[in-house]
């Protein structure tokens, strides 16, 4: 499972080891501050970013969506994705 929390600008602020390694980092601390634009091809990162911004803007979660994650190296994986807004500062 990849578990992560991002800020309003879609920058990673917390993630588990699996999410960090999928993004190309040895440990979670190294992933802090990065975005999908740093770890994925631009066209994929734009999709991920748009989804996250829509969730933040509308307050409506994105639940049970299958998504193909593509890394900068071109490696792909299918994931079941849930994105929910956090409303605490």
């Amino acid at each position: 499972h990849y578990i992560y929390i991002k800020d309003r600008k879609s920058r990673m602020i917390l993630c588990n080891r699996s999410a960090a390694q999928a993004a190309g980092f040895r440990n979670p601390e190294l992933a802090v501050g990065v975005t999908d634009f740093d770890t994925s091809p631009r066209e994929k990162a734009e999709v991920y970013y748009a989804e996250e911004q829509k969730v933040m803007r509308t307050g409506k979660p994105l639940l049970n969506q299958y998504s193909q994650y593509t890394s900068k190296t071109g490696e792909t994986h299918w994931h079941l994705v849930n994105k929910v807004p956090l409303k605490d500062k």
Side-chain angles (χ1 to χ4, degrees), residues 35-59:
T35 71
D36 290 317
F37 291 97
D38 300 316
T39 60
S40 298
R42 182 159 193 83
E43 62 275 2
K44 290 288 189 175
E46 287 172 352
V47 172
Y48 307 147
Y49 180 80
E51 289 173 347
E52 292 163 3
Q53 292 304 304
K54 182 177 180 183
V55 168
M56 293 297 294
R57 187 176 61 256
T58 67

Side-chain angles (χ1 to χ4, degrees), residues 3 12 34 36 41 46 56 59-60 67 70 73-74 76 82 87:
I3 301 170
M12 192 84 66
V34 302
D36 290 317
E46 287 172 352
M56 293 297 294
K60 295 180 183 177
S67 178
T70 305
T73 62
T76 61
N82 293 298
K87 299 184 180 197

Side-chain angles (χ1 to χ4, degrees), residues 3-48:
I3 301 170
Y4 54 86
I5 299 173
K6 295 182 177 180
D7 66 13
R8 291 184 180 270
K9 294 183 180 180
S10 293
R11 294 178 299 220
M12 192 84 66
I13 57 174
L14 180 69
C15 69
N16 68 355
R17 184 168 303 280
S18 295
Q21 289 175 344
F25 299 97
R26 290 176 313 188
N27 63 58
E29 293 80 21
L30 297 173
V32 172
V34 302
T35 71
D36 290 317
F37 291 97
D38 300 316
T39 60
S40 298
R42 182 159 193 83
E43 62 275 2
K44 290 288 189 175
E46 287 172 352
V47 172
Y48 307 147

